[in-house]
Amino acid sequence: MDRILHVKGAANVRDLGGYVSQSGGKSAKVRYQKVIRSAGIQDLTPADQALLAEYGVTKVVDFRSAKERSAAPDAEILQAENIFLPIFPEQTTTSAAPGTLFEQIQAGLDAATQMRSVYRHFVEEAYSRQAYRRFFEILLANEAPDSGVLFHCTAGKDRTGFGAALVLAGLEVDRQTILDNYLETNPNLTQTLQQMLDQAQKEGAPDYLLAGIKDLMAARADYLGESYAAIQEHYGDVAGFFHEGLGLSHQDLLDFRRLYRE
């Protein structure tokens, strides 16, 4: 099956199904039509909405801030519950919202440095850890075999990218495959990036700002690497992060694998 869902009104919409996981010398595959990652879905066409409903999406988890959500409300997917689950608190110096990060670039802050900080905060901020724990609770409650969860932020890259990495890690997919999934965002956002660069150039943006936009909109191995570094520093390994950082029990993870693996 093609992991990319070919909708017209959203970018980077991908099923996490089909990846092979290894456990105790045995392999299994992640189920299709159970968990889908996406960029913003505010511009879904009626045909897109119907496609996602037919695909089995019954829950939409929105990782954006209240400001982002208010500016671009999610398009409705028939019979799907929409769950607002911001990854960062509203009043915070850390943000993964592209608009806020762009403002910080304009203020002279280095984009790549900002992005590496964001990825550490996914692990180090108690609020963010609680949000990702809630995400897993939603996934664990999604027991119907034909029921899928779509989760997204604005670009479907950072908050969503780390969430996808956690889902695949919880299903015992190897780290290189997780990284490959994360980096697949880059070709999927080529058009979005070019539109941003064209608009910035039209407005007379200097070269440093154009370079900052590229760093801001990129999925880079060193960004996700900061999350892994923070996990190692504070929890030892990903298993420790699941148990101590997110408060997931051994049984939670067994149930999670039962639901999302074939």
Side-chain angles (χ1 to χ4, degrees):
M1 289 180 65
D2 188 354
R3 289 193 184 93
I4 296 178
L5 276 66
H6 297 281
V7 299
K8 293 182 179 180
N12 205 21
V13 186
R14 291 185 273 147
D15 196 314
L16 294 184
Y19 289 109
V20 176
S21 69
Q22 298 288 338
S23 178
K26 297 180 180 180
S27 64
K29 283 190 176 181
V30 179
R31 294 181 187 274
Y32 278 98
Q33 294 181 250
K34 289 292 291 179
V35 59
I36 299 104
R37 57 176 297 175
S38 177
I41 60 170
Q42 68 274 7
D43 294 323
L44 293 179
T45 67
D48 295 336
Q49 292 167 289
L51 183 154
L52 292 171
E54 291 169 8
Y55 199 74
V57 173
T58 60
K59 288 183 174 63
V60 173
V61 181
D62 185 352
F63 285 160
R64 299 176 300 166
S65 67
K67 181 178 179 181
E68 291 170 283
R69 185 174 168 91
S70 176
D74 284 349
E76 291 185 7
I77 297 171
L78 185 64
Q79 297 181 342
E81 177 187 5
N82 192 290
I83 302 167
F84 178 45
L85 185 61
I87 295 299
F88 292 116
E90 208 61 33
Q91 302 300 323
T92 180
T93 57
T94 302
S95 175
T100 301
L101 293 170
F102 182 68
E103 290 171 0
Q104 293 172 339
I105 295 172
Q106 291 176 305
L109 297 178
D110 178 71
T113 300
Q114 289 184 73
M115 295 309 305
R116 286 189 285 268
S117 177
V118 164
Y119 277 78
R120 290 193 70 88
H121 277 80
F122 291 146
V123 175
E124 294 176 340
E125 287 282 349
Y127 186 99
S128 300
R129 292 196 305 273
Q130 184 60 34
Y132 282 115
R133 176 191 166 80
R134 174 61 185 141
F135 177 47
F136 270 84
E137 290 172 350
I138 293 165
L139 293 172
L140 283 165
N142 182 47
E143 295 190 353
D146 57 351
S147 175
V149 176
L150 182 148
F151 64 104
H152 78 93
C153 51
T154 293
K157 180 177 76 75
D158 305 311
R159 291 161 287 189
T160 297
F162 184 67
L166 289 180
V167 168
L168 294 175
L171 297 174
E172 300 179 300
V173 174
D174 69 272
R175 188 176 295 189
Q176 183 58 52
T177 301
I178 292 171
L179 178 60
D180 291 344
N181 174 270
Y182 170 74
L183 294 176
E184 282 177 23
T185 282
N186 289 321
N188 293 333
L189 290 185
T190 299
Q191 184 177 352
T192 302
L193 172 60
Q194 192 57 54
Q195 289 172 346
M196 292 179 70
L197 292 172
D198 290 346
Q199 183 62 33
Q201 286 178 314
K202 188 181 297 184
E203 295 174 0
D207 288 344
Y208 84 88
L209 196 54
L210 299 176
I213 292 171
K214 291 178 182 178
D215 285 338
L216 173 66
M217 293 302 295
R220 289 178 19 177
D222 60 313
Y223 294 168
L224 187 58
E226 285 294 329
S227 295
Y228 282 118
I231 285 171
Q232 184 173 2
E233 289 172 22
H234 298 288
Y235 301 99
D237 56 20
V238 173
F241 180 65
F242 279 130
H243 293 305
E244 298 174 34
L246 300 186
L248 297 171
S249 68
H250 179 66
Q251 188 60 52
D252 287 334
L253 291 172
L254 289 178
D255 290 342
F256 182 61
R257 292 161 191 159
R258 171 180 56 80
L259 290 172
Y260 291 92
R261 292 196 306 203
E262 296 178 334

